[in-house]
Amino acid sequence: MSKISILYEFWEFLKERKKWWLAPIIIFLVLFGTLIVLTEGTAIAPFIYTIF
């Protein structure tokens, strides 16, 4: 199963079930997860961990 297929299924789920409130949550989680992975071990890491 490719990543594009997962995105397509998620898009179809949102259209079919009218769950548009899920999209911003998923986008935020993906962006925040990417930020944590990319800045792991850098000077930004302590600032990210203080959020929690």
Side-chain angles (χ1 to χ4, degrees):
M1 192 172 206
S2 70
K3 292 180 183 179
I4 301 297
S5 175
I6 292 171
L7 292 175
Y8 179 73
E9 281 189 41
F10 181 65
W11 178 251
E12 290 299 316
F13 171 78
L14 290 178
K15 284 187 349 186
E16 176 116 4
R17 304 269 189 321
K18 307 290 189 221
K19 303 276 186 190
W20 297 112
W21 56 272
L22 283 175
I25 296 170
I26 299 298
I27 292 169
F28 176 76
L29 288 175
V30 168
L31 290 175
F32 198 67
T34 304
L35 177 69
I36 289 175
V37 168
L38 292 178
T39 60
E40 183 179 344
T42 65
I44 299 173
F47 299 110
I48 293 174
Y49 295 127
T50 59
I51 292 173
F52 299 104

mmCIF file of all heavy atoms in Angstrom:
data_model
loop_
_atom_site.group_PDB
_atom_site.id
_atom_site.type_symbol
_atom_site.label_atom_id
_atom_site.label_comp_id
_atom_site.label_asym_id
_atom_site.label_seq_id
_atom_site.Cartn_x
_atom_site.Cartn_y
_atom_site.Cartn_z
ATOM 1 N N MET A 1 0.843 -1.175 0.000
ATOM 2 C CA MET A 1 0.000 0.000 0.000
ATOM 3 C C MET A 1 0.893 1.244 0.000
ATOM 4 O O MET A 1 1.738 1.413 0.862
ATOM 5 C CB MET A 1 -0.888 -0.029 1.238
ATOM 6 C CG MET A 1 -1.986 0.959 1.216
ATOM 7 S SD MET A 1 -3.058 0.617 2.634
ATOM 8 C CE MET A 1 -4.539 1.270 2.010
ATOM 9 N N SER A 2 0.713 2.091 -0.954
ATOM 10 C CA SER A 2 1.580 3.264 -1.062
ATOM 11 C C SER A 2 1.053 4.418 -0.223
ATOM 12 O O SER A 2 -0.095 4.431 0.223
ATOM 13 C CB SER A 2 1.681 3.695 -2.521
ATOM 14 O OG SER A 2 0.442 4.228 -2.947
ATOM 15 N N LYS A 3 1.913 5.406 -0.007
ATOM 16 C CA LYS A 3 1.527 6.578 0.776
ATOM 17 C C LYS A 3 0.440 7.381 0.059
ATOM 18 O O LYS A 3 -0.442 7.943 0.696
ATOM 19 C CB LYS A 3 2.740 7.449 1.046
ATOM 20 C CG LYS A 3 3.722 6.813 1.974
ATOM 21 C CD LYS A 3 4.901 7.698 2.206
ATOM 22 C CE LYS A 3 5.905 6.984 3.092
ATOM 23 N NZ LYS A 3 7.087 7.765 3.341
ATOM 24 N N ILE A 4 0.512 7.415 -1.258
ATOM 25 C CA ILE A 4 -0.504 8.140 -2.029
ATOM 26 C C ILE A 4 -1.864 7.478 -1.841
ATOM 27 O O ILE A 4 -2.880 8.167 -1.731
ATOM 28 C CB ILE A 4 -0.116 8.184 -3.528
ATOM 29 C CG1 ILE A 4 1.238 8.864 -3.716
ATOM 30 C CG2 ILE A 4 -1.195 8.863 -4.335
ATOM 31 C CD1 ILE A 4 1.256 10.314 -3.287
ATOM 32 N N SER A 5 -1.885 6.168 -1.775
ATOM 33 C CA SER A 5 -3.135 5.446 -1.586
ATOM 34 C C SER A 5 -3.766 5.776 -0.232
ATOM 35 O O SER A 5 -4.978 5.931 -0.129
ATOM 36 C CB SER A 5 -2.884 3.940 -1.690
ATOM 37 O OG SER A 5 -4.046 3.232 -1.399
ATOM 38 N N ILE A 6 -2.930 5.896 0.793
ATOM 39 C CA ILE A 6 -3.441 6.234 2.122
ATOM 40 C C ILE A 6 -4.036 7.644 2.114
ATOM 41 O O ILE A 6 -5.105 7.881 2.674
ATOM 42 C CB ILE A 6 -2.321 6.104 3.172
ATOM 43 C CG1 ILE A 6 -1.946 4.634 3.318
ATOM 44 C CG2 ILE A 6 -2.766 6.678 4.509
ATOM 45 C CD1 ILE A 6 -0.729 4.395 4.155
ATOM 46 N N LEU A 7 -3.346 8.579 1.480
ATOM 47 C CA LEU A 7 -3.863 9.947 1.390
ATOM 48 C C LEU A 7 -5.173 9.995 0.602
ATOM 49 O O LEU A 7 -6.100 10.715 0.979
ATOM 50 C CB LEU A 7 -2.830 10.863 0.734
ATOM 51 C CG LEU A 7 -1.572 11.125 1.546
ATOM 52 C CD1 LEU A 7 -0.590 11.949 0.727
ATOM 53 C CD2 LEU A 7 -1.903 11.815 2.842
ATOM 54 N N TYR A 8 -5.246 9.210 -0.460
ATOM 55 C CA TYR A 8 -6.474 9.175 -1.265
ATOM 56 C C TYR A 8 -7.633 8.599 -0.449
ATOM 57 O O TYR A 8 -8.741 9.139 -0.474
ATOM 58 C CB TYR A 8 -6.247 8.340 -2.526
ATOM 59 C CG TYR A 8 -7.471 8.235 -3.388
ATOM 60 C CD1 TYR A 8 -7.908 9.316 -4.137
ATOM 61 C CD2 TYR A 8 -8.211 7.056 -3.437
ATOM 62 C CE1 TYR A 8 -9.043 9.229 -4.922
ATOM 63 C CE2 TYR A 8 -9.344 6.955 -4.208
ATOM 64 C CZ TYR A 8 -9.755 8.049 -4.949
ATOM 65 O OH TYR A 8 -10.887 7.957 -5.723
ATOM 66 N N GLU A 9 -7.371 7.530 0.300
ATOM 67 C CA GLU A 9 -8.425 6.947 1.135
ATOM 68 C C GLU A 9 -8.886 7.922 2.213
ATOM 69 O O GLU A 9 -10.079 8.011 2.505
ATOM 70 C CB GLU A 9 -7.935 5.660 1.789
ATOM 71 C CG GLU A 9 -7.954 4.479 0.867
ATOM 72 C CD GLU A 9 -7.673 3.194 1.608
ATOM 73 O OE1 GLU A 9 -8.195 3.031 2.726
ATOM 74 O OE2 GLU A 9 -6.946 2.359 1.065
ATOM 75 N N PHE A 10 -7.940 8.629 2.813
ATOM 76 C CA PHE A 10 -8.306 9.610 3.834
ATOM 77 C C PHE A 10 -9.160 10.723 3.228
ATOM 78 O O PHE A 10 -10.145 11.147 3.821
ATOM 79 C CB PHE A 10 -7.036 10.185 4.483
ATOM 80 C CG PHE A 10 -7.318 11.181 5.559
ATOM 81 C CD1 PHE A 10 -7.950 10.800 6.723
ATOM 82 C CD2 PHE A 10 -6.962 12.516 5.405
ATOM 83 C CE1 PHE A 10 -8.231 11.715 7.719
ATOM 84 C CE2 PHE A 10 -7.240 13.437 6.396
ATOM 85 C CZ PHE A 10 -7.865 13.037 7.558
ATOM 86 N N TRP A 11 -8.781 11.196 2.047
ATOM 87 C CA TRP A 11 -9.553 12.238 1.365
ATOM 88 C C TRP A 11 -10.965 11.752 1.059
ATOM 89 O O TRP A 11 -11.937 12.471 1.268
ATOM 90 C CB TRP A 11 -8.833 12.665 0.091
ATOM 91 C CG TRP A 11 -9.584 13.682 -0.689
ATOM 92 C CD1 TRP A 11 -10.217 13.507 -1.875
ATOM 93 C CD2 TRP A 11 -9.808 15.049 -0.328
ATOM 94 N NE1 TRP A 11 -10.815 14.668 -2.281
ATOM 95 C CE2 TRP A 11 -10.579 15.632 -1.343
ATOM 96 C CE3 TRP A 11 -9.424 15.834 0.755
ATOM 97 C CZ2 TRP A 11 -10.980 16.958 -1.306
ATOM 98 C CZ3 TRP A 11 -9.833 17.158 0.781
ATOM 99 C CH2 TRP A 11 -10.590 17.704 -0.237
ATOM 100 N N GLU A 12 -11.099 10.529 0.586
ATOM 101 C CA GLU A 12 -12.416 9.969 0.297
ATOM 102 C C GLU A 12 -13.242 9.812 1.577
ATOM 103 O O GLU A 12 -14.443 10.044 1.565
ATOM 104 C CB GLU A 12 -12.277 8.611 -0.412
ATOM 105 C CG GLU A 12 -11.747 8.717 -1.812
ATOM 106 C CD GLU A 12 -12.658 9.528 -2.712
ATOM 107 O OE1 GLU A 12 -13.891 9.337 -2.660
ATOM 108 O OE2 GLU A 12 -12.129 10.369 -3.467
ATOM 109 N N PHE A 13 -12.594 9.421 2.670
ATOM 110 C CA PHE A 13 -13.286 9.309 3.950
ATOM 111 C C PHE A 13 -13.847 10.665 4.372
ATOM 112 O O PHE A 13 -14.989 10.765 4.814
ATOM 113 C CB PHE A 13 -12.321 8.770 5.012
ATOM 114 C CG PHE A 13 -12.872 8.814 6.410
ATOM 115 C CD1 PHE A 13 -13.773 7.876 6.843
ATOM 116 C CD2 PHE A 13 -12.478 9.817 7.285
ATOM 117 C CE1 PHE A 13 -14.283 7.908 8.129
ATOM 118 C CE2 PHE A 13 -12.973 9.867 8.573
ATOM 119 C CZ PHE A 13 -13.886 8.910 8.996
ATOM 120 N N LEU A 14 -13.013 11.719 4.247
ATOM 121 C CA LEU A 14 -13.478 13.056 4.628
ATOM 122 C C LEU A 14 -14.659 13.501 3.770
ATOM 123 O O LEU A 14 -15.623 14.085 4.283
ATOM 124 C CB LEU A 14 -12.333 14.070 4.501
ATOM 125 C CG LEU A 14 -11.200 13.955 5.508
ATOM 126 C CD1 LEU A 14 -10.144 14.999 5.210
ATOM 127 C CD2 LEU A 14 -11.702 14.098 6.919
ATOM 128 N N LYS A 15 -14.592 13.235 2.472
ATOM 129 C CA LYS A 15 -15.684 13.646 1.587
ATOM 130 C C LYS A 15 -16.967 12.882 1.878
ATOM 131 O O LYS A 15 -18.045 13.465 1.915
ATOM 132 C CB LYS A 15 -15.280 13.437 0.124
ATOM 133 C CG LYS A 15 -14.332 14.486 -0.367
ATOM 134 C CD LYS A 15 -14.020 14.456 -1.837
ATOM 135 C CE LYS A 15 -14.451 13.271 -2.603
ATOM 136 N NZ LYS A 15 -14.005 13.242 -3.987
ATOM 137 N N GLU A 16 -16.834 11.584 2.082
ATOM 138 C CA GLU A 16 -18.014 10.742 2.273
ATOM 139 C C GLU A 16 -18.704 10.978 3.616
ATOM 140 O O GLU A 16 -19.913 11.071 3.703
ATOM 141 C CB GLU A 16 -17.601 9.268 2.165
ATOM 142 C CG GLU A 16 -18.715 8.311 2.438
ATOM 143 C CD GLU A 16 -19.052 7.485 1.221
ATOM 144 O OE1 GLU A 16 -18.367 7.620 0.209
ATOM 145 O OE2 GLU A 16 -20.016 6.731 1.332
ATOM 146 N N ARG A 17 -17.921 11.058 4.680
ATOM 147 C CA ARG A 17 -18.482 11.142 6.022
ATOM 148 C C ARG A 17 -18.646 12.573 6.537
ATOM 149 O O ARG A 17 -19.125 12.773 7.631
ATOM 150 C CB ARG A 17 -17.608 10.364 7.013
ATOM 151 C CG ARG A 17 -17.380 8.919 6.662
ATOM 152 C CD ARG A 17 -18.414 8.048 7.264
ATOM 153 N NE ARG A 17 -18.266 6.624 7.221
ATOM 154 C CZ ARG A 17 -17.816 5.860 6.261
ATOM 155 N NH1 ARG A 17 -17.327 6.374 5.179
ATOM 156 N NH2 ARG A 17 -17.823 4.545 6.363
ATOM 157 N N LYS A 18 -18.186 13.547 5.755
ATOM 158 C CA LYS A 18 -18.272 14.976 6.138
ATOM 159 C C LYS A 18 -17.570 15.247 7.465
ATOM 160 O O LYS A 18 -18.064 15.944 8.333
ATOM 161 C CB LYS A 18 -19.721 15.435 6.244
ATOM 162 C CG LYS A 18 -20.554 15.143 5.027
ATOM 163 C CD LYS A 18 -20.158 15.977 3.858
ATOM 164 C CE LYS A 18 -21.169 15.793 2.741
ATOM 165 N NZ LYS A 18 -20.590 15.691 1.454
ATOM 166 N N LYS A 19 -16.406 14.680 7.634
ATOM 167 C CA LYS A 19 -15.612 14.852 8.856
ATOM 168 C C LYS A 19 -14.490 15.868 8.608
ATOM 169 O O LYS A 19 -13.315 15.596 8.830
ATOM 170 C CB LYS A 19 -14.988 13.518 9.294
ATOM 171 C CG LYS A 19 -15.965 12.413 9.515
ATOM 172 C CD LYS A 19 -16.538 12.483 10.895
ATOM 173 C CE LYS A 19 -17.416 11.265 11.134
ATOM 174 N NZ LYS A 19 -18.179 11.345 12.317
ATOM 175 N N TRP A 20 -14.847 17.044 8.157
ATOM 176 C CA TRP A 20 -13.844 18.053 7.793
ATOM 177 C C TRP A 20 -13.048 18.553 8.991
ATOM 178 O O TRP A 20 -11.935 19.045 8.832
ATOM 179 C CB TRP A 20 -14.514 19.229 7.098
ATOM 180 C CG TRP A 20 -15.147 18.825 5.810
ATOM 181 C CD1 TRP A 20 -16.476 18.791 5.535
ATOM 182 C CD2 TRP A 20 -14.483 18.354 4.633
ATOM 183 N NE1 TRP A 20 -16.688 18.337 4.264
ATOM 184 C CE2 TRP A 20 -15.483 18.063 3.686
ATOM 185 C CE3 TRP A 20 -13.149 18.136 4.304
ATOM 186 C CZ2 TRP A 20 -15.184 17.582 2.422
ATOM 187 C CZ3 TRP A 20 -12.853 17.656 3.042
ATOM 188 C CH2 TRP A 20 -13.861 17.388 2.126
ATOM 189 N N TRP A 21 -13.562 18.400 10.188
ATOM 190 C CA TRP A 21 -12.841 18.863 11.371
ATOM 191 C C TRP A 21 -11.606 18.004 11.643
ATOM 192 O O TRP A 21 -10.719 18.410 12.383
ATOM 193 C CB TRP A 21 -13.753 18.861 12.590
ATOM 194 C CG TRP A 21 -14.389 17.539 12.866
ATOM 195 C CD1 TRP A 21 -15.559 17.069 12.352
ATOM 196 C CD2 TRP A 21 -13.869 16.506 13.701
ATOM 197 N NE1 TRP A 21 -15.813 15.815 12.825
ATOM 198 C CE2 TRP A 21 -14.795 15.437 13.645
ATOM 199 C CE3 TRP A 21 -12.740 16.384 14.484
ATOM 200 C CZ2 TRP A 21 -14.601 14.262 14.345
ATOM 201 C CZ3 TRP A 21 -12.541 15.205 15.190
ATOM 202 C CH2 TRP A 21 -13.468 14.162 15.109
ATOM 203 N N LEU A 22 -11.518 16.811 11.058
ATOM 204 C CA LEU A 22 -10.349 15.960 11.240
ATOM 205 C C LEU A 22 -9.131 16.446 10.459
ATOM 206 O O LEU A 22 -7.995 16.205 10.868
ATOM 207 C CB LEU A 22 -10.665 14.528 10.799
ATOM 208 C CG LEU A 22 -11.479 13.684 11.752
ATOM 209 C CD1 LEU A 22 -11.795 12.350 11.100
ATOM 210 C CD2 LEU A 22 -10.734 13.459 13.033
ATOM 211 N N ALA A 23 -9.348 17.111 9.347
ATOM 212 C CA ALA A 23 -8.236 17.519 8.475
ATOM 213 C C ALA A 23 -7.231 18.430 9.188
ATOM 214 O O ALA A 23 -6.024 18.151 9.129
ATOM 215 C CB ALA A 23 -8.775 18.171 7.212
ATOM 216 N N PRO A 24 -7.639 19.502 9.864
ATOM 217 C CA PRO A 24 -6.638 20.339 10.537
ATOM 218 C C PRO A 24 -5.877 19.605 11.635
ATOM 219 O O PRO A 24 -4.687 19.850 11.839
ATOM 220 C CB PRO A 24 -7.447 21.492 11.133
ATOM 221 C CG PRO A 24 -8.750 21.469 10.451
ATOM 222 C CD PRO A 24 -8.970 20.075 9.964
ATOM 223 N N ILE A 25 -6.546 18.697 12.323
ATOM 224 C CA ILE A 25 -5.881 17.938 13.381
ATOM 225 C C ILE A 25 -4.793 17.052 12.789
ATOM 226 O O ILE A 25 -3.657 17.028 13.286
ATOM 227 C CB ILE A 25 -6.913 17.094 14.170
ATOM 228 C CG1 ILE A 25 -7.897 18.004 14.880
ATOM 229 C CG2 ILE A 25 -6.213 16.158 15.145
ATOM 230 C CD1 ILE A 25 -9.079 17.281 15.484
ATOM 231 N N ILE A 26 -5.111 16.341 11.734
ATOM 232 C CA ILE A 26 -4.143 15.452 11.091
ATOM 233 C C ILE A 26 -2.983 16.251 10.507
ATOM 234 O O ILE A 26 -1.819 15.872 10.666
ATOM 235 C CB ILE A 26 -4.832 14.609 9.993
ATOM 236 C CG1 ILE A 26 -5.936 13.740 10.582
ATOM 237 C CG2 ILE A 26 -3.814 13.775 9.234
ATOM 238 C CD1 ILE A 26 -5.480 12.727 11.597
ATOM 239 N N ILE A 27 -3.283 17.366 9.859
ATOM 240 C CA ILE A 27 -2.230 18.201 9.276
ATOM 241 C C ILE A 27 -1.301 18.727 10.363
ATOM 242 O O ILE A 27 -0.074 18.694 10.225
ATOM 243 C CB ILE A 27 -2.838 19.352 8.453
ATOM 244 C CG1 ILE A 27 -3.516 18.783 7.212
ATOM 245 C CG2 ILE A 27 -1.782 20.384 8.075
ATOM 246 C CD1 ILE A 27 -4.375 19.773 6.460
ATOM 247 N N PHE A 28 -1.866 19.200 11.472
ATOM 248 C CA PHE A 28 -1.045 19.702 12.569
ATOM 249 C C PHE A 28 -0.159 18.605 13.148
ATOM 250 O O PHE A 28 1.027 18.824 13.413
ATOM 251 C CB PHE A 28 -1.934 20.285 13.669
ATOM 252 C CG PHE A 28 -1.165 20.733 14.869
ATOM 253 C CD1 PHE A 28 -0.450 21.908 14.849
ATOM 254 C CD2 PHE A 28 -1.145 19.955 16.016
ATOM 255 C CE1 PHE A 28 0.270 22.323 15.958
ATOM 256 C CE2 PHE A 28 -0.432 20.352 17.121
ATOM 257 C CZ PHE A 28 0.282 21.542 17.098
ATOM 258 N N LEU A 29 -0.710 17.419 13.357
ATOM 259 C CA LEU A 29 0.073 16.318 13.911
ATOM 260 C C LEU A 29 1.209 15.912 12.987
ATOM 261 O O LEU A 29 2.322 15.627 13.445
ATOM 262 C CB LEU A 29 -0.836 15.119 14.209
ATOM 263 C CG LEU A 29 -1.764 15.274 15.398
ATOM 264 C CD1 LEU A 29 -2.689 14.064 15.499
ATOM 265 C CD2 LEU A 29 -0.980 15.448 16.674
ATOM 266 N N VAL A 30 0.953 15.876 11.694
ATOM 267 C CA VAL A 30 2.000 15.523 10.733
ATOM 268 C C VAL A 30 3.095 16.578 10.715
ATOM 269 O O VAL A 30 4.289 16.249 10.744
ATOM 270 C CB VAL A 30 1.397 15.319 9.322
ATOM 271 C CG1 VAL A 30 2.476 15.250 8.259
ATOM 272 C CG2 VAL A 30 0.539 14.069 9.295
ATOM 273 N N LEU A 31 2.717 17.860 10.689
ATOM 274 C CA LEU A 31 3.715 18.923 10.685
ATOM 275 C C LEU A 31 4.523 18.945 11.978
ATOM 276 O O LEU A 31 5.750 19.114 11.958
ATOM 277 C CB LEU A 31 3.043 20.278 10.463
ATOM 278 C CG LEU A 31 2.486 20.524 9.074
ATOM 279 C CD1 LEU A 31 1.745 21.855 9.034
ATOM 280 C CD2 LEU A 31 3.576 20.499 8.034
ATOM 281 N N PHE A 32 3.865 18.771 13.096
ATOM 282 C CA PHE A 32 4.557 18.776 14.383
ATOM 283 C C PHE A 32 5.483 17.566 14.511
ATOM 284 O O PHE A 32 6.597 17.684 15.007
ATOM 285 C CB PHE A 32 3.540 18.797 15.522
ATOM 286 C CG PHE A 32 4.125 19.218 16.823
ATOM 287 C CD1 PHE A 32 4.582 20.506 17.013
ATOM 288 C CD2 PHE A 32 4.228 18.311 17.867
ATOM 289 C CE1 PHE A 32 5.129 20.894 18.228
ATOM 290 C CE2 PHE A 32 4.776 18.688 19.078
ATOM 291 C CZ PHE A 32 5.226 19.981 19.262
ATOM 292 N N GLY A 33 5.039 16.417 14.062
ATOM 293 C CA GLY A 33 5.883 15.224 14.067
ATOM 294 C C GLY A 33 7.100 15.389 13.185
ATOM 295 O O GLY A 33 8.213 14.996 13.551
ATOM 296 N N THR A 34 6.913 15.992 12.009
ATOM 297 C CA THR A 34 8.028 16.259 11.110
ATOM 298 C C THR A 34 9.011 17.226 11.749
ATOM 299 O O THR A 34 10.229 17.034 11.653
ATOM 300 C CB THR A 34 7.506 16.839 9.777
ATOM 301 O OG1 THR A 34 6.558 15.925 9.225
ATOM 302 C CG2 THR A 34 8.635 17.066 8.802
ATOM 303 N N LEU A 35 8.505 18.252 12.405
ATOM 304 C CA LEU A 35 9.373 19.210 13.092
ATOM 305 C C LEU A 35 10.210 18.531 14.161
ATOM 306 O O LEU A 35 11.418 18.774 14.267
ATOM 307 C CB LEU A 35 8.534 20.325 13.717
ATOM 308 C CG LEU A 35 9.293 21.372 14.525
ATOM 309 C CD1 LEU A 35 10.144 22.222 13.597
ATOM 310 C CD2 LEU A 35 8.328 22.235 15.304
ATOM 311 N N ILE A 36 9.612 17.653 14.932
ATOM 312 C CA ILE A 36 10.347 16.948 15.986
ATOM 313 C C ILE A 36 11.410 16.035 15.386
ATOM 314 O O ILE A 36 12.544 15.987 15.867
ATOM 315 C CB ILE A 36 9.374 16.160 16.889
ATOM 316 C CG1 ILE A 36 8.570 17.136 17.734
ATOM 317 C CG2 ILE A 36 10.121 15.173 17.774
ATOM 318 C CD1 ILE A 36 7.495 16.492 18.577
ATOM 319 N N VAL A 37 11.075 15.327 14.324
ATOM 320 C CA VAL A 37 12.046 14.419 13.701
ATOM 321 C C VAL A 37 13.202 15.196 13.076
ATOM 322 O O VAL A 37 14.360 14.823 13.229
ATOM 323 C CB VAL A 37 11.347 13.529 12.647
ATOM 324 C CG1 VAL A 37 12.359 12.803 11.781
ATOM 325 C CG2 VAL A 37 10.423 12.549 13.329
ATOM 326 N N LEU A 38 12.899 16.284 12.391
ATOM 327 C CA LEU A 38 13.953 17.045 11.712
ATOM 328 C C LEU A 38 14.851 17.814 12.674
ATOM 329 O O LEU A 38 16.012 18.064 12.364
ATOM 330 C CB LEU A 38 13.332 18.017 10.706
ATOM 331 C CG LEU A 38 12.666 17.369 9.497
ATOM 332 C CD1 LEU A 38 12.045 18.426 8.598
ATOM 333 C CD2 LEU A 38 13.661 16.525 8.718
ATOM 334 N N THR A 39 14.327 18.211 13.821
ATOM 335 C CA THR A 39 15.126 19.009 14.757
ATOM 336 C C THR A 39 15.669 18.174 15.916
ATOM 337 O O THR A 39 16.184 18.736 16.871
ATOM 338 C CB THR A 39 14.304 20.173 15.323
ATOM 339 O OG1 THR A 39 13.179 19.659 16.015
ATOM 340 C CG2 THR A 39 13.881 21.119 14.233
ATOM 341 N N GLU A 40 15.573 16.884 15.816
ATOM 342 C CA GLU A 40 16.064 16.019 16.889
ATOM 343 C C GLU A 40 17.578 16.183 17.024
ATOM 344 O O GLU A 40 18.330 16.018 16.081
ATOM 345 C CB GLU A 40 15.732 14.565 16.573
ATOM 346 C CG GLU A 40 16.134 13.610 17.651
ATOM 347 C CD GLU A 40 15.756 12.183 17.281
ATOM 348 O OE1 GLU A 40 14.950 11.991 16.384
ATOM 349 O OE2 GLU A 40 16.308 11.289 17.907
ATOM 350 N N GLY A 41 18.007 16.549 18.216
ATOM 351 C CA GLY A 41 19.432 16.701 18.461
ATOM 352 C C GLY A 41 19.984 18.071 18.115
ATOM 353 O O GLY A 41 21.181 18.285 18.174
ATOM 354 N N THR A 42 19.131 19.022 17.768
ATOM 355 C CA THR A 42 19.612 20.362 17.463
ATOM 356 C C THR A 42 19.303 21.299 18.625
ATOM 357 O O THR A 42 18.763 20.896 19.645
ATOM 358 C CB THR A 42 18.953 20.915 16.185
ATOM 359 O OG1 THR A 42 17.565 21.063 16.426
ATOM 360 C CG2 THR A 42 19.175 19.993 15.003
ATOM 361 N N ALA A 43 19.617 22.538 18.440
ATOM 362 C CA ALA A 43 19.391 23.533 19.486
ATOM 363 C C ALA A 43 17.907 23.833 19.682
ATOM 364 O O ALA A 43 17.522 24.390 20.702
ATOM 365 C CB ALA A 43 20.131 24.813 19.143
ATOM 366 N N ILE A 44 17.071 23.470 18.744
ATOM 367 C CA ILE A 44 15.632 23.749 18.843
ATOM 368 C C ILE A 44 14.931 22.731 19.743
ATOM 369 O O ILE A 44 13.890 23.019 20.308
ATOM 370 C CB ILE A 44 14.992 23.761 17.441
ATOM 371 C CG1 ILE A 44 15.632 24.849 16.595
ATOM 372 C CG2 ILE A 44 13.500 23.967 17.508
ATOM 373 C CD1 ILE A 44 15.197 24.846 15.158
ATOM 374 N N ALA A 45 15.500 21.555 19.898
ATOM 375 C CA ALA A 45 14.860 20.471 20.644
ATOM 376 C C ALA A 45 14.424 20.871 22.057
ATOM 377 O O ALA A 45 13.303 20.542 22.457
ATOM 378 C CB ALA A 45 15.775 19.260 20.684
ATOM 379 N N PRO A 46 15.243 21.572 22.860
ATOM 380 C CA PRO A 46 14.766 21.934 24.213
ATOM 381 C C PRO A 46 13.519 22.816 24.198
ATOM 382 O O PRO A 46 12.677 22.710 25.087
ATOM 383 C CB PRO A 46 15.948 22.688 24.811
ATOM 384 C CG PRO A 46 17.123 22.226 24.059
ATOM 385 C CD PRO A 46 16.633 21.921 22.679
ATOM 386 N N PHE A 47 13.377 23.651 23.199
ATOM 387 C CA PHE A 47 12.193 24.508 23.119
ATOM 388 C C PHE A 47 10.947 23.718 22.763
ATOM 389 O O PHE A 47 9.851 24.025 23.225
ATOM 390 C CB PHE A 47 12.419 25.632 22.106
ATOM 391 C CG PHE A 47 13.557 26.521 22.483
ATOM 392 C CD1 PHE A 47 14.740 26.510 21.752
ATOM 393 C CD2 PHE A 47 13.472 27.367 23.571
ATOM 394 C CE1 PHE A 47 15.792 27.332 22.107
ATOM 395 C CE2 PHE A 47 14.510 28.179 23.942
ATOM 396 C CZ PHE A 47 15.685 28.161 23.204
ATOM 397 N N ILE A 48 11.097 22.694 21.946
ATOM 398 C CA ILE A 48 9.956 21.850 21.589
ATOM 399 C C ILE A 48 9.492 21.067 22.809
ATOM 400 O O ILE A 48 8.302 20.951 23.083
ATOM 401 C CB ILE A 48 10.333 20.898 20.430
ATOM 402 C CG1 ILE A 48 10.570 21.707 19.166
ATOM 403 C CG2 ILE A 48 9.230 19.872 20.206
ATOM 404 C CD1 ILE A 48 11.092 20.898 18.013
ATOM 405 N N TYR A 49 10.444 20.534 23.582
ATOM 406 C CA TYR A 49 10.078 19.714 24.728
ATOM 407 C C TYR A 49 9.459 20.538 25.859
ATOM 408 O O TYR A 49 8.708 20.010 26.666
ATOM 409 C CB TYR A 49 11.289 18.935 25.230
ATOM 410 C CG TYR A 49 11.779 17.936 24.215
ATOM 411 C CD1 TYR A 49 13.093 17.903 23.797
ATOM 412 C CD2 TYR A 49 10.891 17.019 23.650
ATOM 413 C CE1 TYR A 49 13.523 16.993 22.855
ATOM 414 C CE2 TYR A 49 11.310 16.110 22.699
ATOM 415 C CZ TYR A 49 12.634 16.098 22.311
ATOM 416 O OH TYR A 49 13.041 15.196 21.385
ATOM 417 N N THR A 50 9.743 21.828 25.911
ATOM 418 C CA THR A 50 9.130 22.655 26.957
ATOM 419 C C THR A 50 7.647 22.904 26.676
ATOM 420 O O THR A 50 6.928 23.294 27.601
ATOM 421 C CB THR A 50 9.860 23.989 27.101
ATOM 422 O OG1 THR A 50 9.820 24.681 25.863
ATOM 423 C CG2 THR A 50 11.286 23.804 27.547
ATOM 424 N N ILE A 51 7.214 22.699 25.463
ATOM 425 C CA ILE A 51 5.795 22.865 25.141
ATOM 426 C C ILE A 51 4.974 21.845 25.921
ATOM 427 O O ILE A 51 3.869 22.131 26.367
ATOM 428 C CB ILE A 51 5.559 22.706 23.622
ATOM 429 C CG1 ILE A 51 6.204 23.869 22.890
ATOM 430 C CG2 ILE A 51 4.073 22.639 23.307
ATOM 431 C CD1 ILE A 51 6.173 23.724 21.382
ATOM 432 N N PHE A 52 5.524 20.670 26.103
ATOM 433 C CA PHE A 52 4.809 19.612 26.799
ATOM 434 C C PHE A 52 5.141 19.636 28.267
ATOM 435 O O PHE A 52 4.699 18.990 29.070
ATOM 436 C CB PHE A 52 5.133 18.258 26.199
ATOM 437 C CG PHE A 52 4.740 18.160 24.763
ATOM 438 C CD1 PHE A 52 5.701 18.229 23.773
ATOM 439 C CD2 PHE A 52 3.418 18.054 24.408
ATOM 440 C CE1 PHE A 52 5.329 18.150 22.445
ATOM 441 C CE2 PHE A 52 3.040 17.980 23.087
ATOM 442 C CZ PHE A 52 4.007 18.022 22.105
#
